[in-house]
Amino acid sequence: MNYEKLAQLLIPDADVKPLEYYEAQYPERGLEKGAEVTRLAPSPTGFMHIGNLYVALANERIAHQSGGVFYLRIEDTDEKRKVEGAVEVILSSLKYFGVEFDEGADMGGAYGPYYQRQRAEIYHAFAKDLIRRGLAYPCFCTEEELEATRNHQTENKLLPGYYGEFAHCRSLTEEEIEANVKAGKPYVIRLRSQGDVEKKHTFRDAVKGEITVTENNQDVVILKSDGIPTYHFAHAIDDHFMRTTLVIRGEEWLSSLPIHIELFNVLGFKLPRYGHNCSIQKIDGEVRRKLSKRKDPEASLTFYREQGYHKQAVKTYMLTLLNSNFEEWLLKNPETPLEEFKYSIGKMGKSGALFDIVKLNDISKTYLATLSAEEMYDFLQEWANDYGTEAQKGYFADKDYMLKILTLYMGIGGKKRRKDFICAKQALETIAWFFADGFHPEYAYKFDNATVKQILSDFAAAYDFADDNQAWFGKVKAVAEKNGFATDMKAYKADPTAFPGSVSDVAELLRIATTGLSNTPDLWTIMQILGEAETRARLQTAIAAL
Ligand code: GLU
């Protein structure tokens, strides 16, 4: 077989440059020793999985902490999965969570283009070189023929794939190939694998540690019939020429590692270090399974923005999943910027990370409780502008009013900060009753209507907006006493049957009448914030409803 001639036939010289050209075009980066070049290489499907943030954060931390480079490469070789505007979604959602690239798609950089579709020439040049060296060949098998092979393999319990005796086109003669090409038969280019599945090697995975890898024997497709490379081939060439030193990627790629090792080998490239990151899982009833794009809304990054989780909380939570010693560090350094945490690949989980929304909520509550009322105001307003209802946008019309509500609800100035807020959506829903169109009380009292009516009316008559907290409570007590309710809690506890209820029941009635809720922060302060007119109006509405 004249491989040189075959290479010319399949990929003419005019379409590619000599290999040295690319080496010169994309030289070594000349970074300090230890500086890592990492990347995020998503397919532009328009959907950002929480796993994308997870792996992005790991790569970003490692690159930036080592003084290296973190870049974005768009793996758009699969036309069917491509979605318009997907790159914008990737950039903006990662930026929102504070993950920024140094170079890459839509940003530029010396190692571009960063879209695989724009790098066709490089892939062709290297495919041609492999053909020339007898390490790749054209395959004319049709889908039907491949399916027949698959069926045969399944029926006979043989290893699936295109290898050995099943690699039909591996042994085509020069004449057969020429005739097929002349006849216009479509073909793909396959690697002529040199591997042997009987051979196993020890491989050091940066995350999983020592693993055993079986040699590849599959004649995998490297260029599809439209000349577009497969992920396997494209990523090997790109990681080499973008001078990637470390690939942290999802563990779903572990099974392809043997192919990648062989490809780097035949291409004559140094293999970068690989670290296969465990996937994010959740407990679903009895089973532990991967977070699913279809079943779990929390699998999508959009979910966190729509709910209004603070980016810092999400990032903090991701770090607790990523590095086993992060939480301990966070406890000791609650005020220190996350960037100062020393991220360590060695502390990454070797098996599945368990996603726990309760924990994320806890972290979110704790984080939001460190904000000032002003910061919370800005955070909520920004969210409301993007995702809130028209009514929620309106909550920000009177800044002073909103700041008072937030100060109360966050326990600012009190003995201990409250942790009522989890995310922006929930926070605005929690305080909605402060606003006319969010106040829809159901008035679930524990006493009969006549008693409630009497108590509310007595309080309304005694109420004076100018009263301080103490004087106000004095009046609540007086109303309780007048209606036979206990004001001495000791006496009440000694014999509860002697009273219809206690002063705290009276306070609860007033609370329900004013807020619609039985559980809120301090009621006197609430009445102060609502203002005299609104407080009186609410009491009257409650009385009228009885
Ligand atoms: N395009 C691949 C994906 O979206 C990238 C895998 C890798 O990081 O190498 O899963």
Side-chain angles (χ1 to χ4, degrees), residues 398 400-405 408 433-434 459 463-473 475 514-515 520-536 538-539:
D398 182 346
D400 201 42
Y401 185 60
M402 181 58 118
L403 285 177
K404 281 185 195 154
I405 298 169
L408 169 72
W433 58 268
F434 266 104
F459 179 79
Y463 180 58
D464 182 349
F465 183 74
D467 285 343
D468 64 11
N469 205 337
Q470 226 182 340
W472 175 89
F473 191 59
K475 287 187 176 162
T514 322
T515 69
T520 68
D522 182 61
L523 186 56
W524 174 79
T525 313
I526 287 171
M527 290 184 175
Q528 290 291 306
I529 296 172
L530 286 172
E532 177 164 12
E534 179 66 16
T535 301
R536 286 196 184 283
R538 288 191 177 197
L539 288 170

Side-chain angles (χ1 to χ4, degrees), residues 450-513:
T451 308
V452 178
K453 197 165 189 169
Q454 190 58 49
I455 288 176
L456 296 185
S457 307
D458 288 347
F459 179 79
Y463 180 58
D464 182 349
F465 183 74
D467 285 343
D468 64 11
N469 205 337
Q470 226 182 340
W472 175 89
F473 191 59
K475 287 187 176 162
V476 176
K477 267 180 152 168
V479 171
E481 222 160 77
K482 175 171 179 279
N483 287 275
F485 281 60
T487 51
D488 175 353
M489 288 312 277
K490 251 203 204 134
Y492 178 64
K493 279 203 182 113
D495 184 9
T497 56
F499 307 90
S502 75
V503 64
S504 72
D505 292 315
V506 171
E508 186 182 292
L509 297 183
L510 295 173
R511 190 182 303 280
I512 294 174

